[in-house]
Amino acid sequence: MKVSDIMSTQVVCISHKASLKDAHELMQSRGVRHLPVISEFDSKLVGILTHKKMISTVMAMMHRYGGNALDRKERGQLVENLMDTEFQKLTDDEPLSIVVEYFIENKLGCLPVVNSQGGIEGIVTSSDFVKLCANLLKQ
């Protein structure tokens, strides 16, 4: 099996120039925990914003500035300042036997799938592996 067999192709992405507030609302409304970050200039993948990073930043802001200032502070913080820029990328033809080991060894929640031009093609999450396991167990 390959990455293309389990990856999600309906990927919810966000611009690197979006605010933390935008990311917070997008994660809540779309029910996602990982946002690939796309450059507004060339649509290439430039980072990943995780739910964990977003929540820890929001909680730190709330603790430091209080609930009344949270909305304003979230709007003033750009995604590009919070995103992880060092991350592993996949191609859709990589074997799952290798990818699953990478997930286990590095305790990752997601890996983006990119094309040869650096554009996002999909995403593989730990949930995708759980769904695969569930399907295999039913057989």
Side-chain angles (χ1 to χ4, degrees):
M1 292 188 84
K2 300 182 296 183
V3 165
S4 60
D5 295 322
I6 69 165
M7 72 181 195
S8 301
T9 56
Q10 301 294 319
V11 185
V12 179
C13 299
I14 195 161
S15 162
H16 75 289
K17 293 294 184 185
S19 71
L20 175 60
K21 181 72 172 178
D22 296 330
H24 193 167
E25 290 174 351
L26 189 57
M27 283 184 180
Q28 282 185 322
S29 68
R30 299 297 292 272
V32 296
R33 296 181 300 135
H34 311 95
L35 287 175
V37 182
I38 306 299
S39 169
E40 283 186 4
F41 307 119
D42 59 11
S43 299
K44 290 184 180 176
L45 180 67
V46 294
I48 299 286
L49 181 63
T50 65
H51 186 257
K52 182 178 179 179
K53 178 76 172 206
M54 190 265 309
I55 289 295
S56 67
T57 303
V58 168
M59 294 305 292
M61 286 177 170
M62 178 130 35
H63 179 71
R64 185 169 186 185
Y65 303 109
N68 294 335
L70 182 60
D71 188 68
R72 181 173 41 85
K73 292 296 183 181
E74 275 188 296
R75 290 185 192 286
Q77 181 70 261
L78 294 180
V79 167
E80 70 182 338
N81 298 325
L82 299 171
M83 67 185 185
D84 292 325
T85 56
E86 299 291 323
F87 54 92
Q88 180 70 33
K89 297 173 253 191
L90 301 173
T91 58
D92 65 355
D93 62 346
E94 291 189 62
L96 288 181
S97 57
I98 294 171
V99 175
V100 73
E101 290 301 320
Y102 194 82
F103 264 88
I104 292 167
E105 290 171 11
N106 296 286
K107 298 181 177 143
L108 297 173
C110 78
L111 287 169
V113 182
V114 296
N115 59 30
S116 59
Q117 293 81 35
I120 188 101
E121 291 287 314
I123 193 166
V124 175
T125 68
S126 54
S127 295
D128 293 324
F129 277 103
V130 172
K131 289 174 192 172
L132 174 62
C133 289
N135 287 335
L136 292 174
L137 289 171
K138 289 177 186 176
Q139 294 178 1

